[in-house]
Amino acid sequence: MAYYHRLGNIPPKRHTQFRQPDGSLYKEELVSSKGFSGIYSNLYHIHNPNNVVSIGDPTPFSWEPAKEYGLKQTHLKTAGVGTTGKDYLGARKMLMMNNDCMMGICSPEERKMDYFFKNADGDELIYVHDGEGVLYSQFGKLEVRQGDYIVIPRTTIYRFEWKEEGPLRLLVIESHGPIETVKRYRNEVGQLLEHSPYCERDIRPPAELHTESEKGEFLVKIKKGGMLHPYTYGHSPLDIVGWDGYLYPYALSIHDFEPITGRIHQPPPVHQTFQAWGFVICSFVPRLFDYHPLAIPAPYNHSNIDSDEVLYYAEGEFMSRKGIDRGSFTIHMGGLPHGPHPGTVEKSIGAKETEELAVMLDTFRPLFVTTEGLNFVDPAYPMSWKE
């Protein structure tokens, strides 16, 4: 994160006595990255965060790349998918993956989690395509809504509560490394620069603490090594009275991303929103088109020589694609040229603006469709450029 945040009550100095009303000590916990060299936060618990009551048997929670899928441009048709599972974790369907990241969909039937989740394998980026609710974590209460990116650092303990009415559809990206703001948009002390497409005002950290002090049995499902490990604790993990630091979950709305435009067509890096190990995330948002008198608004043909490109189509009509619906994924793999479908270039000339919304994942190592993703493949897509 680019700035310091604090909530609740904390002592004047770290690692010093901080006592509860009954005279006992609050339990300090350092949550840090890169050992003790990266960003971190200090949390203060009512109870001992190591108070484990029982540990259950681990169960598999992983996905496999499809074997012998081959090299082909791919369209995954998920527009008509309803609920994808009963609960939050059971509804996760990862459709593509490599060693750096996974990407998929999640539309749970149940709107309230009766357990907590901790991902110890990686950071998470959740895009709220449809829905509205609250993320509860040790860091407090974060209200989220349609269009939000939710960045959840590795090992954050959390649960979601979603509103009952209306559809609920999430795009989920899991990253092996940290998900960060874009380095070239930060100055030497981490502040987002004037020409960044968003700034700290647009970033929403938890706004208030949500302290659960009661004892009992509280289930935390921990993802580690592609397994779910059920841990039962003797108190709620949200027994925090205060914390401060730079590491915490936050939300950034795609609607607050300010597009960078030019006289001629701008390449995808101008849409970059986040960076991570081995991939970037970009946001395509409503914007004015190029204003050179001979401009062609539709994107030019492009050959990826060292990256795979995924577009998740959220809203609007994409001028360069035919047969794409809300909720479609297209995967354009390195080694093959891709570009506008026939007739769309000429049709785009003279267009002044677009109302599209899309999330793009660009990886720097090959991305593979999973066995789960095979259920959504459009077999006609590789031939859709045929004149």
Side-chain angles (χ1 to χ4, degrees):
M1 272 303 300
Y3 64 91
Y4 170 86
H5 191 53
R6 64 183 284 177
L7 286 176
N9 297 316
I10 60 176
K13 293 285 288 184
R14 293 174 294 178
H15 322 319
T16 60
Q17 296 179 30
F18 182 34
R19 296 193 178 274
Q20 303 190 39
D22 64 2
S24 63
L25 290 170
Y26 287 110
K27 282 67 176 178
E28 183 181 15
E29 179 189 12
L30 172 70
V31 181
S32 66
S33 59
K34 300 179 183 178
F36 294 87
S37 302
I39 62 171
Y40 63 90
S41 288
N42 283 90
L43 291 72
Y44 294 89
H45 294 262
I46 296 172
H47 308 292
N48 189 334
N50 301 306
N51 181 17
V52 178
V53 174
S54 64
I55 302 173
D57 295 329
T59 56
F61 191 64
S62 61
W63 289 263
E64 296 293 332
K67 295 181 179 179
E68 300 179 357
Y69 179 73
L71 177 64
K72 63 189 78 169
Q73 310 293 30
T74 300
H75 174 205
L76 301 181
K77 302 176 71 172
T78 69
V81 175
T83 55
T84 55
K86 187 176 181 181
D87 74 319
Y88 175 65
L89 294 181
R92 284 194 176 196
K93 307 296 180 187
M94 291 303 188
L95 308 182
M96 59 208 81
M97 65 184 300
N98 64 16
N99 289 335
D100 299 317
C101 62
M102 297 190 292
M103 186 181 201
I105 56 176
C106 178
S107 296
E109 181 182 336
E110 295 177 349
R111 300 298 179 103
K112 185 176 180 180
M113 296 170 63
D114 59 2
Y115 57 88
F116 294 93
F117 177 54
K118 176 198 284 191
N119 193 333
D121 279 334
D123 283 26
E124 295 181 342
L125 178 67
I126 298 173
Y127 175 74
V128 184
H129 194 174
D130 290 307
E132 184 178 352
V134 178
L135 173 75
Y136 293 98
S137 75
Q138 320 104 293
F139 301 95
K141 179 180 176 181
L142 177 60
E143 295 186 0
V144 296
R145 52 188 179 267
Q146 186 275 336
D148 276 349
Y149 291 109
I150 310 168
V151 178
I152 305 176
R154 181 193 316 246
T155 77
T156 299
I157 302 172
Y158 71 89
R159 70 170 187 265
F160 276 115
E161 291 186 13
W162 301 98
K163 287 192 174 180
E164 292 292 338
E165 64 274 9
L168 175 58
R169 183 183 180 94
L170 308 174
L171 174 69
V172 180
I173 298 171
E174 180 179 315
S175 171
H176 180 68
I179 296 172
E180 303 171 328
T181 57
V182 183
K183 184 177 181 180
R184 70 177 181 277
Y185 288 135
R186 292 187 247 125
N187 61 24
E188 67 275 10
V189 296
Q191 183 181 16
L192 290 164
L193 294 166
E194 273 290 296
H195 59 279
S196 170
Y198 60 91
C199 73
E200 286 81 3
R201 294 186 192 182
D202 301 313
I203 294 171
R204 306 194 322 268
E208 60 182 278
L209 278 182
H210 177 78
T211 305
E212 298 178 356
S213 60
E214 62 271 21
K215 293 184 177 181
E217 293 191 351
F218 294 82
L219 176 61
V220 180
K221 297 184 180 182
I222 304 173
K223 180 178 182 292
K224 182 72 171 180
M227 306 288 283
L228 275 183
H229 305 264
Y231 269 63
T232 300
Y233 290 85
H235 59 84
S236 170
L238 308 190
D239 66 333
I240 307 297
V241 297
W243 66 271
D244 74 333
Y246 282 67
L247 187 146
Y248 49 85
Y250 64 90
L252 169 69
S253 175
I254 196 171
H255 303 297
D256 287 329
F257 184 88
E258 300 299 333
I260 297 171
T261 60
R263 293 186 75 222
I264 57 175
H265 191 84
Q266 299 295 295
V270 303
H271 306 288
Q272 188 179 349
T273 313
F274 301 102
Q275 65 181 33
W277 296 351
F279 70 93
V280 299
I281 299 293
C282 300
S283 302
F284 290 85
V285 301
R287 62 194 182 279
L288 295 176
F289 278 139
D290 328 309
Y291 49 89
H292 187 284
L294 297 178
I296 300 175
Y300 38 79
N301 291 298
H302 177 217
S303 290
N304 294 329
I305 67 169
D306 56 7
S307 65
D308 288 358
E309 175 191 292
V310 180
L311 266 176
Y312 177 75
Y313 300 83
E315 311 291 346
E317 180 179 352
F318 278 72
M319 70 169 71
S320 60
R321 290 284 173 270
K322 298 177 180 178
I324 298 299
D325 298 314
R326 185 181 190 269
S328 284
F329 293 84
T330 57
I331 310 170
H332 298 138
M333 297 181 175
L336 295 173
H338 66 276
H341 277 143
T344 59
V345 171
E346 292 80 2
K347 185 180 177 181
S348 77
I349 295 174
K352 300 299 183 185
E353 60 184 348
T354 177
E355 295 299 320
E356 68 192 18
L357 276 178
V359 177
M360 187 173 84
L361 168 74
D362 242 10
T363 66
F364 304 120
R365 290 199 280 186
L367 193 65
F368 302 97
V369 175
T370 64
T371 53
E372 189 89 55
L374 292 178
N375 299 318
F376 305 99
V377 171
D378 173 8
Y381 187 71
M383 306 300 177
S384 60
W385 284 265
K386 189 176 180 180
E387 297 286 353

